[in-house]
Amino acid sequence: MEQPRRITDSFPRRLRRRAAGRPPGRLKDKKDKKEKDKDQEKAQVKVRDCSRSPSQPPPDPALLEMLRRFDLSLEYGPCTGITRLQRWERAQELGLSPPDPIRDALLEHRDNPDVTYRWVWGGM
Amino acid sequence: MFSEQAAPTAQGLLAPPSAEPPTFPRVPVSGYLDCSQPFQLGERSFSRQYAHIYAVRLAGMRPGLERRARSRWGNDIVLRKLSELQAGEKCCVVGTLFKAMQLQPSILQEISEEHNLVPQPPLPKYIQPSDELILEDELQRIKLEGAIDVQRLVTGTILAVYGSEQDDGRFLVEDHCFASLPPPLPWKGPSSDRFVLLASGLGLGSVSGEALLSTQLLVDVVTGQLGAEGEQSCAAHITRVILAGNLLSQNTQSRDTINKAKYLTKKTQAASVEAVKMLDEILLQLCTSVPVDVMPGEFDPTNYTLPQQPLHRCMLPLASAYTTLHLVTNPYQANLDGVRFLGTSGQNISDIFKYSSMDDYLEILEWTLQAGHISPTAPDTLGCYPFYKSDPFILTECPHVYFCGNAPHFQSKLLQGKEGQRVLLVTVPDFSATQTACLVNLRDLTCQPITFSGFGADSED
């Protein structure tokens, strides 16, 4: 008897990388949540160490304060669930003229998750 | 139109066959451009809330509405945001509508254990006299009353209201306006008769096989295998077939197998597998002869939220070997021979039907064009992808043909706009129920229904 034909013969299987730190099927498990957070932090720490060059200084608190004020300013729309750079670019396209220094700061500290992060509630 | 062309040249099937059978080459495809890139989603991320899509919708439509308000109520009217309102001052406010409906199905009420209520059965319409309209902008919301038809409007519409705030905190509306028809596209249509066949709701995989004969008749007419030479030469003018959704029937969606135990359902196959095989064979016959655009619908195996992504070509192995098969999104927008087509499979219109007092599908279709948005009720009552950058359902250009699938009857209307827009509105009927498809003539934007039915035992002719 010949081998049964599989769909992977015509459509080759491709491994897709999941987003870093998001293991599948563990979102609802509250018991493992703390462990997952630790895993995420470990993964993030690893990524951070690899991508940030050791000579780059950490961003100063005044910059972080300016970015937080950008998040909270209501005229550019909601800030949850999207990165700050995405929000800045959307405001630019809608003609709301967001201030340029914020974009420069975001591009300069692109690798730092504290600067670029999506503002999420409860690890969404 | 179709049959008038056929009649004079009809040699009739009763004549003896001619020595050399005539051939009718199909009109070649001259211009096709797929413009539905905004509806194609690449990587999808659902980790966002829906506040973004409403914010972008309001920000995107606000300039156009402010222009409309100024042109309608005078250049000197005061445009205010809700936070700047002063009591008693006549002003104009642009915002998003929210209709508070008592009967609207709410997931919170269903899962609330204190109420011990059975979930509400689906109703044809959820409107009630006690519904209220609330206008929201970026920061605040206010109740509306006055010269505004509460029953007719739906949540998610962006509009401009003119009136004043009362002492009790409500806004008394004297007049309101929508974004109106978007700016027109230049007309580059063909100079000779070219037809596009619109059909929807083929409903394959249903329990009764009555519609199968009509579907086969449709395929035979389009591929030129039916009728005398007159009909065949007319069919050669059909340049494209668009199947607007619901290719599979609702019966294929039965969820009985989920509730049964695994050992009982191991050998059963999902009903949609047989139906998709049938669809593949039908599409194979069509694709060998004419370009076909296949849009997914409510009961088709693709994602549920709008915009629905194209069916995957691995489900249609026979038909996808041909380049004439185009699997497209729902909603679908394309330039065919210089004529801009825009249409959906009907979920947006039927959702507005449920939450509004408007009863006529053509009226609702025209209203969505006037409101400047394909589907205002998404994401409130109709599933929608959480867009954050821009709302692709906002109408920025006026199409030449605007259709919706799976309507209860066939209706069509040619709408003339103030800025020179000419739109043909077509409600494509459900084929499995009415056995009717539509033929749109691209030269003069007219539409004709074409019905396929067999003579059954209970027909009255």
Side-chain angles (χ1 to χ4, degrees):
Chain A
M1 196 178 77
E2 59 175 14
Q3 274 279 343
R5 279 190 60 221
R6 293 216 182 108
I7 198 162
T8 42
D9 291 343
S10 20
F11 297 98
R13 189 192 293 179
R14 249 185 232 136
L15 282 170
R16 220 197 274 179
R17 281 185 185 278
R18 293 197 178 261
R22 183 81 81 122
R26 291 179 64 180
L27 293 165
K28 287 187 193 162
D29 214 343
K30 277 194 186 161
K31 250 194 293 177
D32 287 327
K33 197 174 179 189
K34 278 191 193 155
E35 289 159 13
K36 185 187 79 164
D37 282 357
K38 273 192 224 152
D39 283 348
Q40 271 188 344
E41 274 178 10
K42 274 192 212 155
Q44 273 190 352
V45 163
K46 277 190 203 156
V47 166
R48 219 186 286 177
D49 285 341
C50 292
S51 54
R52 198 173 23 141
S53 50
S55 60
Q56 208 179 35
D60 61 327
L63 173 70
L64 292 178
E65 184 58 38
M66 179 178 76
L67 290 174
R68 216 168 287 137
R69 231 175 292 133
F70 171 66
D71 277 344
L72 291 173
S73 47
L74 290 159
E75 59 260 19
Y76 307 124
C79 64
T80 66
I82 53 176
T83 61
R84 283 175 172 145
L85 190 60
Q86 282 173 334
R87 185 160 174 259
W88 194 97
E89 275 163 9
R90 175 181 78 186
Q92 178 81 330
E93 277 167 33
L94 289 173
L96 302 168
S97 51
D100 284 321
I102 294 190
R103 182 161 186 265
D104 301 333
L106 287 173
L107 287 175
E108 194 189 320
H109 296 275
R110 200 194 290 253
D111 323 320
N112 193 337
D114 284 334
V115 172
T116 61
Y117 71 43
R118 303 155 193 259
W119 182 319
V120 290
W121 284 324
M124 204 164 54
Chain B
M1 196 173 37
F2 200 67
S3 42
E4 280 151 23
Q5 273 188 345
T9 61
Q11 210 183 11
L13 291 167
L14 295 174
S18 42
E20 205 174 283
T23 53
F24 301 101
R26 194 177 291 280
V27 180
V29 174
S30 57
Y32 172 68
L33 189 66
D34 187 9
C35 307
S36 26
Q37 282 80 24
F39 303 121
Q40 282 160 2
L41 306 167
E43 281 289 312
R44 278 165 262 180
S45 160
F46 284 88
S47 62
R48 280 193 285 271
Q49 296 189 336
Y50 287 107
H52 295 277
I53 189 174
Y54 281 117
V56 175
R57 193 185 290 181
L58 181 58
M61 292 184 71
R62 185 186 276 276
L65 266 168
E66 286 179 353
R67 263 197 310 269
R68 269 278 293 155
R70 286 216 168 85
S71 70
R72 187 168 162 145
W73 298 312
N75 260 325
D76 52 348
I77 52 160
V78 186
L79 282 164
R80 288 231 185 272
K81 298 222 169 151
L82 284 178
S83 49
E84 304 159 357
L85 276 184
Q86 291 162 22
E89 183 202 14
K90 277 208 199 307
C91 58
C92 166
V93 185
V94 174
T96 317
L97 265 187
F98 175 74
K99 188 151 104 166
M101 290 182 281
Q102 204 179 22
L103 288 180
Q104 185 178 354
S106 162
I107 186 71
L108 298 173
Q109 277 175 4
E110 281 181 26
I111 63 176
S112 160
E113 279 152 15
E114 344 176 314
H115 290 270
N116 270 347
L117 283 177
V118 184
Q120 189 188 340
L123 296 171
K125 275 201 185 285
Y126 293 100
I127 55 175
Q128 268 217 310
S130 59
D131 296 337
E132 285 185 330
L133 275 182
I134 297 166
L135 188 74
E136 292 188 11
D137 71 354
E138 295 96 348
L139 299 176
Q140 291 186 355
R141 47 160 42 189
I142 194 167
K143 277 205 185 123
L144 294 180
E145 59 188 8
I148 196 161
D149 191 349
V150 182
Q151 301 299 315
R152 198 181 141 93
L153 298 172
V154 288
T155 306
T157 323
I158 312 280
L159 81 168
V161 291
Y162 184 65
S164 55
E165 186 189 356
Q166 302 299 296
D167 293 329
D168 60 352
R170 292 170 181 243
F171 193 89
L172 184 66
V173 177
E174 288 169 28
D175 197 8
H176 66 281
C177 79
F178 299 106
S180 182
L181 294 180
L185 278 173
W187 172 256
K188 291 186 211 125
S191 47
S192 58
D193 272 347
R194 299 263 172 103
F195 294 100
V196 170
L197 185 81
L198 289 169
S200 82
L202 291 181
L204 299 169
S206 65
V207 176
S208 75
E210 283 171 13
L212 282 177
L213 172 64
S214 314
T215 316
Q216 190 58 48
L217 284 175
L218 171 78
V219 172
D220 285 341
V221 162
V222 173
T223 51
Q225 289 166 8
L226 211 61
E229 291 174 13
E231 277 93 27
Q232 289 179 351
S233 69
C234 286
H237 289 281
I238 296 180
T239 57
R240 200 166 204 96
V241 173
I242 299 181
L243 296 174
N246 278 355
L247 307 151
L248 302 190
S249 130
Q250 194 174 12
N251 296 332
T252 59
Q253 299 251 303
S254 67
R255 302 293 194 117
D256 301 337
T257 48
I258 290 185
N259 295 328
K260 285 194 191 152
K262 269 290 181 200
Y263 71 94
L264 288 170
T265 59
K266 209 169 184 178
K267 294 279 178 69
T268 55
Q269 214 182 33
S272 47
V273 175
E274 271 305 314
V276 171
K277 279 193 196 150
M278 242 191 295
L279 175 70
D280 197 21
E281 284 159 10
I282 290 178
L283 284 179
L284 175 68
Q285 293 174 45
L286 276 177
C287 287
T288 50
S289 164
V290 69
V292 183
D293 294 334
V294 180
M295 291 167 61
E298 196 182 340
F299 306 126
D300 293 328
T302 182
N303 59 318
Y304 163 71
T305 52
L306 281 192
Q308 283 183 302
Q309 299 303 291
L311 298 172
H312 201 284
R313 63 189 178 92
C314 72
M315 289 194 286
L316 308 166
L318 299 168
S320 51
Y322 291 88
T323 55
T324 45
L325 179 73
H326 298 108
L327 297 165
V328 294
T329 56
N330 167 32
Y332 175 50
Q333 187 171 256
N335 268 354
L336 307 176
D337 282 330
V339 178
R340 172 71 71 99
F341 272 69
L342 171 64
T344 62
S345 300
Q347 291 115 315
N348 54 334
I349 307 294
S350 52
D351 200 60
I352 298 176
F353 175 82
K354 278 192 263 184
Y355 295 99
S356 157
S357 61
M358 292 189 275
D359 278 325
D360 190 22
Y361 269 56
L362 192 70
E363 188 191 345
I364 299 177
L365 194 65
E366 187 182 344
W367 181 82
T368 57
L369 200 59
Q370 295 280 358
H373 200 272
I374 298 175
S375 166
T377 51
D380 187 41
T381 43
L382 188 60
C384 178
Y385 174 74
F387 291 102
Y388 78 95
K389 224 173 186 186
S390 63
D391 187 352
F393 300 116
I394 299 177
L395 288 163
T396 46
E397 296 160 323
C398 196
H400 296 121
V401 179
Y402 185 45
F403 64 91
C404 91
N406 299 298
H409 320 283
F410 165 76
Q411 282 169 301
S412 82
K413 179 175 165 182
L414 190 63
L415 191 68
Q416 307 273 4
K418 289 202 193 97
E419 296 166 21
Q421 297 105 333
R422 263 175 81 217
V423 196
L424 174 68
L425 302 169
V426 185
T427 56
V428 186
D430 189 14
F431 194 82
S432 55
T434 58
Q435 283 93 42
T436 310
C438 316
L439 271 173
V440 176
N441 189 347
L442 297 182
R443 179 180 56 89
D444 53 3
L445 282 186
T446 48
C447 187
Q448 186 191 36
I450 178 166
T451 311
F452 305 89
S453 54
F455 291 106
D458 45 304
S459 77
E460 287 164 23
D461 283 24

